Structure formats: structure tokens, C-alpha cells
């Protein structure tokens, strides 16, 4: 459920509320699912010869049917010592 778990990383909302700056901030700015969708669309429309290194990496992953570029179970806001919330 999008209200209790991040769609991108799958981490429970309570973790962000307890250890970071809150779940709402996380899903609106750090792991906004619409940004991920837009990025995939953007890659389909962009000329592959103009890709950056990161765009090439993600495009190659998608061609292989992999979504391992998505931070499943991970979020920078939850890393120890990280002040980003």
C-alpha cells in the first residue's frame, strides 16, 4: 500500500518517520515514483548516442529486463550518519 510503504524501495513508512525526516518527504522528493516512470519514458525518447553514463547503464538494464537499478530495500535517508532526510 502506497500509504504505508515506499513504492520504489519498499521500506515501511514507520522507518522513515522514526529514523529520517518522515515518510511523506521521502516519497515526494527522494523516491517519487513518477520520477522513475518519467525517466523510463525519457530514455525511450532520447537518442541513445546522446546518453550519459548513467542513462546508458539504466537503459542497458531495462533492455535485459532488469530493474536492479531501483533501490529495493534501500534509501539514502536511512543510512547511518546521513543527515539527508
Amino acid at each position: 500500500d502506497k500509504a504505508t510503504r515506499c513504492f520504489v524501495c519498499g521500506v515501511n513508512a514507520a522507518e522513515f518517520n522514526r529514523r529520517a525526516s518522515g515518510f511523506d518527504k521521502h516519497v515526494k522528493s527522494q523516491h517519487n515514483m513518477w520520477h522513475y516512470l518519467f525517466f523510463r519514458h525519457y530514455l525511450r525518447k532520447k537518442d541513445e548516442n546522446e546518453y550519459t553514463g548513467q542513462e546508458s547503464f539504466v537503459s542497458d538494464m531495462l533492455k535485459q529486463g532488469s530493474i536492479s537499478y531501483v533501490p529495493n530495500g534501500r534509501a539514502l535517508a536511512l543510512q547511518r550518519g546521513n543527515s539527508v532526510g
Side-chain angles (χ1 to χ4, degrees):
D1 181 13
K2 290 187 315 184
T4 60
R5 189 169 295 278
C6 175
F7 180 81
V8 175
C9 67
V11 175
N12 192 295
E15 286 297 310
F16 294 102
N17 292 332
R18 183 173 39 251
R19 298 175 43 204
S21 294
F23 181 68
D24 288 338
K25 182 176 181 180
H26 172 73
V27 296
K28 287 179 183 171
S29 63
Q30 298 160 357
H31 283 173
N32 185 313
M33 68 179 173
W34 299 111
H35 292 172
Y36 281 80
L37 180 64
F38 173 77
F39 186 61
R40 290 180 69 154
H41 176 73
Y42 167 80
L43 289 177
R44 277 190 230 115
K45 297 295 183 186
K46 187 173 181 177
D47 183 338
E48 290 184 14
N49 295 316
E50 296 181 10
Y51 280 173
T52 65
Q54 290 123 335
E55 291 168 346
S56 293
F57 174 79
V58 172
S59 178
D60 290 345
M61 302 290 282
L62 291 170
K63 287 177 187 173
Q64 296 170 21
S66 173
I67 58 165
S68 62
Y69 67 94
V70 176
N72 188 10
R74 300 184 316 258
L76 288 175
L78 298 178
Q79 290 181 352
R80 186 193 301 177
N82 189 346
S83 61
V84 175

